[in-house]
Structure formats: C-alpha cells, structure tokens
Amino acid sequence: MIRNHTIQDNGTGIRTEDLGIVCERFTTSKLQQFEDLTKISTYGFRGEALASISHVAHLTITTKTNGALCAYKGLYKDGKLKAPPKSCAGNVGTIITVEDLFHNIATRKKSMKSFNEEHLKVVEVVSRYAIHNPLVGFTVKKQGELLTEVKTNQGSTHIDNIQAIYGSAISRALLEVNDNCNILKVKIKGYVSNPNFSAKKQIFILFINDRLVDSQGLRKAVDQVYSIYLAKGSHPFIYLSLNLDPMNVDVNVHPTKHEVHFLHEDKVIDKVVDAIQDKLSGTNTSRTFYTQTRLPMSSDTLIDKSNENIEIKESQKLKLANSTNVSQNKMVRTDCAEQKIDKFLNTSNSNNSTLMLPKSKTNDVITRREIKLTSVLSLRKEIENRCSDTLQTIFQNHKYVGAASPTWSLFQHDTNLYICNSNNVLQEMFYQIMVYEFGNFGVIKFSNALSIYELIMIALELSESGYQGNEDKPKEELAHDATEILTSRTLMLNDYFSIEIDNDANILSIPLLLEGFLPDLDGLPLYLLRLASEVDWSSEKQCFLDFCRETARFYILHPWKQQCGDNDDISDAAPDRNWAWSLEHVLYPSLRKSFQPPRHFLEDGTLLQIASLPDMYKVFERC
C-alpha cells in the first residue's frame, strides 16, 4: 500500500485565508452552472479530489505565495483543518503529502496490492502526463531513495520525453501524426512507431482534451492497422492527443473518468486510423519508393550500381534489351493482348461504353497565343521545381492494368506493380493543364444559357457548400453576392479561362481541358460557388492558382462520389462505366505525355508499390 506520497509544484501557492476551505467538497470546482457538466475540460473530479483524499488518508498541505514572509502548513481530516495553519519555512508553491492511505477503511486497504506495484502505477500515470506536457518538468522517485525513476526537463519536446522514459529505440522509430477534420471538429496529434519497431507489450497513450483516457474501440482499430505490418504477437508504440469539442465528449461514463464517450465515435476513430495509415504507408520500405527508386535512363545517364559508376550507351542498352539471357524474374510482360483485370470484374457494359462529344461543344480551330504573365510563369516554374524525375519516368512508361476501386487504379512499370490514387494524380494533372494551357483552352458550350444565380442557389442547398441556415446572410443574398463577383470579372474569365457570361448573368461555356473527356456537369453549381468564395481575387498569382485548383477539382468529381457524399466511404461503390472507360482510354494515357508528378507523391501514399516480380520470385524460391 502507499504509505507516503508527496506532490510538489513551484506554482503561485494557496492563500492563507483559503486553507480552511481547500479540502471542502466542490471548493476547487470549475463548474459555475449546471450546463458546465456537458463540457468538462479540466483534470479534476468536479472539486472533490482533495476532499475525498482527506476522508481516507492523513493529508498535509504546505504552501507559500509570492510576497509572503513564510510558508504555512495545515493538517486535514474529513475535509476540515485539525488545527489552525502553522507558519514554517518553505519555497513558493505547494506541497501536498498523503500518508497512510485507507488507514480508516480496512476493506479498501486490503484490496490494494504491494507498495511496489502501487508505486509503478503512479510512475506510469506521471510518465504519460510528462510525455503529453513537455513544457512542464516532472520528477518521480521513491521515498528515501536518491535515484529518480522519471525525470523530464522543463521546456523539452514530446520526443525528448519519450526517449527519456521509454528509451532511444522507440524515439528513433517515431512518426509524427498531425491531422484535423473541421466536419467532425477533431484535431489529431501524436507520435506512432514505424513498421520497423515492435514490442511484446503494447504502449498505448491516449489523451482526449488533455485528459489521460482509454478507448477500447480506438485501441482495437489501431491494432488492426498494425497487424498488416507487424508479426503476430508484436505491438507498436502509440501516443495520440485528440482535441474534440467539449460539447461532444461525455466524461461522466466512468467513475474515475478513465474512459470517455464522444459524438461520432466511429467516424473519429476512422479519421485517426486513416491518419496513421497514411504515415505507415509512406514509410513501409516494401510498399513505397524509398527502396525501389529508378532513375530515367538516357544516353548520358550515370547509374550507381554496386558502388561503381557505369555509363550506359545507347548501343549497350539496345544490346541488353535484345539479350536472351535475361532471367525470368526480370522479364517485363506488358503485352496489350494479354488478359486484363476487367475480365475478373463486373464490367458487362464497359466495353461498349463510349464518350460522345457533341461537335458544337468544341472549337474547330484554336489559335495558340504565348502567355508572358509573370504570375503564370511563376506557377509553371513551381511545377517544374517540385517534379520528381523518378515518378515522371514511371508515369511516362506505365501500362494501365485496371481500376481496383473508384479511387484506386493499378498499373505496371518495368517489373513492378503499383496502385495509384487516381483522385490525387488526375487533379494534379488537370491543374497542370490549367497552368500550361492558360489562355488557350478549348470551349464546352451549353445548348441553353444557365442562370448563375439559380445554379449557386442549388449549390447552397448541398451539404458540401458548408452553408448553415443560421448564417448572418440569407442564401438569396449570398447567391446574389456570388453572382456579382463572377459577373464583374466577365472579360477576364472569358479571355483567360474560356468561361463566357452574358449580360443577363447566364453562363454560356466552360473550358475544355482534355479532348475526349467531359467533366460531370452535376458539379457545376458547386464549382461556380467555390469560384466565387474560395478564389482570392485580390492577388493575381493567388487568384490564378486558386482558380486552376478549383477547376481541376471540378474536373475529377466522380458521379458516384456525388451520390455517396464527399465524406462517405466510396471504396466499394460501383464506378460509373463512362468514367471507368475514360480512366483507361483517355485519362491515364494523358499522364504519359507531359505530366510532371510532384515529389510528395512518394511520401503521402498517392503511389504505392504493391508487388515486385524479383521479390516474388525470392518468396517462391523459399517455399
């Protein structure tokens, strides 16, 4: 049992006149009214902690405030002072000493384990709060011993404290998790171990609104994620801090507040799991490009192999390509006549699907003009600077395999099979088309003029618009303002982006970015609303950047995604057949031409290697 436990801080101390009531019930409560119970965000037990302890132990408080001549000590029993506080020597701050816990409750005292086990529980709790609060220094040691079991410095970092408490092996394997969701009103921060680290015992540290808690649902979900990467019986290190709206958290479901429930718990857990999965997929060496990078080969390319620089000439490459001595595990099989993934999917109508472009919607002749705007040239330069040569080679020489889901597609390059997030890649491709074809777009003309005001009114009815019924302005006024923003820039929109607006505030055309592909026009209302609200019209470069990004976003909007909603899981939804046909015959072929993939695709899980022919041969050789 715990015989003597002392907690000391260097705070502002307790005023002498308050020592008489400090251990009475509710004295230290932060609750001012009944409604405060629904949004508790403090550490305490509604002001009952000191009062409860004073009823089951001998409690002593020694405290000194700034400016006081001396400190004062008070002894408490059953919430009351045994005698008036006595003056004594002491530093500024407060020392709380608990002795002979449960000395007056024999049954409760018998349920406690040994002194060492109870001490380890205290060390565990303090250690976790030390990790979560790196700006505060924590020290824990046994009574009568000189060595400290926990010691963290003031003003340190989360990683410093994790290393100090759990060792350098864990600290070297940490990945930072940082994500948020405005819809769920959750901010996610923390550190998790990478796939190279494992332990026999799971270390799961969870704080919700700065309170140390547990969540069995989240714990099991995280275990499920790591089961893909770690061997059976191995566990990761997890430290997570979730910041939720206090109104959405119920801290009163457990006597000690060790467990909490919160609104939209399943969706919040899914968001946390996705954030962790993104980090793991970007570091697992068997599934990303960190160990599979290949440089594009040209006549003057130098490839570092086995620490020797070998210059490959065109004649040598031709000889290697025609060599019959290539081992089977390095043969590249990309014959277009071979079977495709479509045979194994339900694509009964996909072969007959065609994308028809009315002749009236495209310009027969487009006179190309040279754009010399500094802002546009700067955007092009940024695209070129962040381009990855390795990825560009992969996309230029890939062989499309098929759509694994509405979001993910498979393709082959060399002897490797990759899975690609089509949304991210195609949105970047359409953005680059917007920047490089600036002022030279084709035109998609509407057979009937469409009222911008009415389209924006439709958009405001959608949940994706973010419009709430209790906004300062009614939606009619918001739609009028948005229409005014677009119509006031009619000349620029028509000249640069092929968006024609007539004098009656009707939209007549939108830009054609890619021959043979039309965007889903069901997204037109939201597209116009976002142009009015999300584009920074005050700065030329930022205006063009926002406009191009929003147009690219409109072009990759999936028909089935609109049906499911942006926040729903669409991985199992049936893809639109025209879209699936366009992926294979229009969109992915366009990536082979002039697409400049950014380097962050290597890190954010947009492109993952899921199979390697040489590695598969190694597996079968061991079988």
Side-chain angles (χ1 to χ4, degrees):
M1 63 180 175
I2 298 178
R3 296 186 295 271
N4 187 329
H5 188 67
T6 301
I7 301 174
Q8 179 178 356
D9 67 26
N10 58 351
T12 58
I14 303 172
R15 295 183 303 174
T16 306
E17 54 267 31
D18 290 334
L19 287 176
I21 63 170
V22 72
C23 285
E24 293 185 6
R25 295 185 68 190
F26 312 123
T27 298
T28 58
S29 176
K30 305 299 188 298
L31 305 180
Q32 301 295 325
Q33 52 190 356
F34 178 79
E35 288 74 15
D36 291 340
L37 285 170
T38 63
K39 51 182 180 179
I40 295 176
S41 59
T42 58
Y43 294 113
F45 289 69
R46 298 185 292 278
E48 298 177 5
L50 287 176
S52 299
I53 294 172
S54 70
H55 281 76
V56 298
H58 297 136
L59 179 66
T60 303
I61 297 180
T62 304
T63 184
K64 181 183 178 183
T65 59
N66 283 316
L69 297 177
C70 61
Y72 287 88
K73 177 187 292 186
L75 281 69
Y76 295 84
K77 180 181 180 182
D78 297 335
K80 303 290 184 181
L81 277 170
K82 292 183 178 180
K86 295 182 179 180
S87 58
C88 63
N91 297 323
V92 174
T94 303
I95 302 174
I96 298 177
T97 303
V98 179
E99 298 175 289
D100 298 328
L101 184 62
F102 299 126
H103 69 95
N104 54 353
I105 306 178
T107 303
R108 183 68 180 86
K109 188 175 182 178
K110 289 180 181 179
S111 68
M112 298 187 67
K113 298 181 180 179
S114 67
F115 174 80
N116 286 334
E117 288 190 47
E118 296 296 338
H119 176 74
L120 290 176
K121 291 181 180 178
V122 173
V123 170
E124 180 182 3
V125 172
V126 175
S127 298
R128 299 186 173 205
Y129 273 100
I131 291 173
H132 184 66
N133 298 275
L135 300 181
V136 180
F138 289 81
T139 302
V140 178
K141 63 180 179 181
K142 284 185 179 180
Q143 183 181 10
E145 295 188 6
L146 297 178
L147 296 177
T148 60
E149 297 189 45
V150 174
K151 182 173 178 57
T152 62
N153 297 322
Q154 183 179 359
S156 58
T157 64
H158 297 290
I159 295 181
D160 290 339
N161 289 358
I162 292 173
Q163 180 176 354
I165 296 170
Y166 292 105
S168 58
I170 292 180
S171 65
R172 288 195 300 264
L174 293 180
L175 303 173
E176 184 177 6
V177 177
N178 195 337
D179 202 353
N180 66 82
C181 179
N182 294 329
I183 298 175
L184 298 174
K185 297 182 179 179
V186 58
K187 294 182 179 179
I188 306 166
K189 294 185 178 181
Y191 291 88
V192 300
S193 58
N194 63 33
N196 296 323
F197 173 85
S198 63
K200 294 183 178 180
K201 182 180 178 182
Q202 185 189 51
I203 302 174
F204 184 83
I205 304 172
L206 174 64
F207 282 81
I208 295 181
N209 290 351
D210 298 322
R211 182 190 297 276
L212 179 62
V213 295
D214 193 14
S215 171
Q216 290 299 321
L218 182 57
R219 184 190 289 264
K220 291 179 181 178
V222 172
D223 269 343
Q224 186 66 29
V225 172
Y226 274 91
S227 66
I228 303 173
Y229 301 92
L230 303 182
K232 186 176 181 180
S234 300
H235 300 281
F237 171 90
I238 305 293
Y239 158 62
L240 292 172
S241 174
L242 308 185
N243 190 284
L244 297 164
D245 187 343
M247 294 291 291
N248 295 343
V249 182
D250 185 0
V251 299
N252 295 298
V253 298
H254 193 276
T256 64
K257 298 186 176 64
H258 182 60
E259 295 182 9
V260 298
H261 289 168
F262 42 89
L263 196 63
H264 307 304
E265 190 162 333
D266 291 340
K267 291 185 178 181
V268 171
I269 290 176
D270 289 342
K271 184 66 177 176
V272 175
V273 168
D274 289 343
I276 295 176
Q277 180 65 66
D278 288 343
K279 286 296 180 180
L280 294 177
S281 63
T283 58
N284 185 11
T285 56
S286 66
R287 301 185 66 185
T288 60
F289 298 101
Y290 292 119
T291 61
Q292 300 293 334
T293 54
R294 296 172 64 91
L295 295 175
M297 296 173 61
S298 62
S299 59
D300 54 355
T301 297
L302 291 178
I303 298 182
D304 186 13
K305 185 175 182 181
S306 302
N307 298 323
E308 295 179 5
N309 289 331
I310 305 174
E311 184 175 2
I312 301 180
K313 302 293 185 181
E314 285 293 332
S315 58
Q316 293 174 316
K317 287 193 292 182
L318 184 60
K319 182 178 180 180
L320 288 173
N322 295 328
S323 174
T324 58
N325 297 324
V326 179
S327 60
Q328 291 187 351
N329 66 334
K330 294 183 180 179
M331 289 183 178
V332 181
R333 298 168 177 86
T334 56
D335 185 359
C336 62
E338 293 181 359
Q339 299 184 38
K340 295 187 177 181
I341 195 173
D342 295 341
K343 179 178 179 180
F344 305 97
L345 302 176
N346 182 18
T347 56
S348 56
N349 298 324
S350 60
N351 293 334
N352 298 324
S353 299
T354 56
L355 184 62
M356 300 300 295
L357 281 177
K359 295 181 180 179
S360 60
K361 290 186 178 180
T362 58
N363 287 348
D364 296 331
V365 179
I366 299 178
T367 303
R368 187 170 184 85
R369 55 177 175 167
E370 184 179 1
I371 301 297
K372 297 183 179 181
L373 293 173
T374 304
S375 54
V376 177
L377 298 179
S378 176
L379 292 176
R380 293 175 181 175
K381 190 65 176 178
E382 291 175 3
I383 293 174
E384 295 164 3
N385 290 339
R386 64 172 183 262
C387 174
S388 166
D389 292 338
T390 302
L391 288 181
Q392 191 171 33
T393 301
I394 292 174
F395 278 104
Q396 286 177 349
N397 300 282
H398 81 270
K399 302 295 182 182
Y400 185 80
V401 176
S405 74
T407 303
W408 297 92
S409 296
L410 297 168
F411 66 74
Q412 179 182 346
H413 174 258
D414 200 15
T415 58
N416 298 325
L417 181 66
Y418 300 98
I419 188 167
C420 173
N421 188 318
S422 300
N423 290 350
N424 294 350
V425 172
L426 296 178
Q427 186 168 350
E428 179 65 26
M429 181 190 76
F430 282 122
Y431 167 73
Q432 293 182 15
I433 292 175
M434 287 291 296
V435 173
Y436 281 95
E437 297 297 319
F438 191 94
N440 293 285
F441 301 111
V443 179
I444 300 175
K445 289 186 176 292
F446 301 126
S447 57
N448 298 317
L450 304 176
S451 170
I452 295 177
Y453 175 83
E454 293 180 4
L455 289 174
I456 293 179
M457 285 290 290
I458 294 174
L460 291 173
E461 295 289 343
L462 303 175
S463 59
E464 295 90 337
S465 68
Y467 175 75
Q468 304 291 335
N470 56 356
E471 297 283 349
D472 295 337
K473 290 184 178 182
K475 65 179 181 180
E476 292 80 7
E477 189 173 345
L478 290 174
H480 179 271
D481 292 344
T483 303
E484 179 64 26
I485 291 174
L486 296 179
T487 54
S488 63
R489 295 164 174 83
T490 299
L491 294 178
M492 183 195 75
L493 294 177
N494 188 24
D495 186 32
Y496 290 155
F497 303 109
S498 298
I499 295 180
E500 186 178 356
I501 300 174
D502 64 15
N503 296 330
D504 297 325
N506 297 318
I507 184 168
L508 306 178
S509 67
I510 58 175
L512 175 65
L513 303 190
L514 188 62
E515 189 70 28
F517 179 76
L518 288 176
D520 181 17
L521 296 181
D522 286 344
L524 183 61
L526 191 60
Y527 170 56
L528 295 176
L529 175 61
R530 291 185 64 86
L531 288 184
S533 60
E534 301 298 328
V535 175
D536 182 1
W537 299 96
S538 61
S539 170
E540 180 179 299
K541 180 181 177 181
Q542 190 63 40
C543 170
F544 293 158
L545 187 150
D546 294 342
F547 199 102
C548 294
R549 287 292 184 192
E550 290 300 328
T551 304
R553 185 176 184 270
F554 163 58
Y555 254 80
I556 62 109
L557 187 65
H558 300 285
W560 63 87
K561 189 171 184 180
Q562 283 203 14
Q563 296 169 5
C564 299
D566 285 344
N567 300 317
D568 296 335
D569 183 11
I570 64 170
S571 59
D572 297 324
D576 178 85
R577 296 309 172 195
N578 283 338
W579 179 270
W581 184 91
S582 298
L583 276 176
E584 179 176 359
H585 298 285
V586 180
L587 297 173
Y588 268 85
S590 299
L591 294 172
R592 301 191 187 105
K593 299 177 181 178
S594 57
F595 181 53
Q596 302 180 66
R599 282 185 292 272
H600 66 78
F601 280 0
L602 290 167
E603 304 169 358
D604 61 7
T606 295
L607 197 61
L608 301 173
Q609 177 186 314
I610 60 174
S612 171
L613 187 59
D615 291 343
M616 292 175 66
Y617 266 79
K618 292 179 181 178
V619 173
F620 288 117
E621 286 171 358
R622 292 195 295 265
C623 295

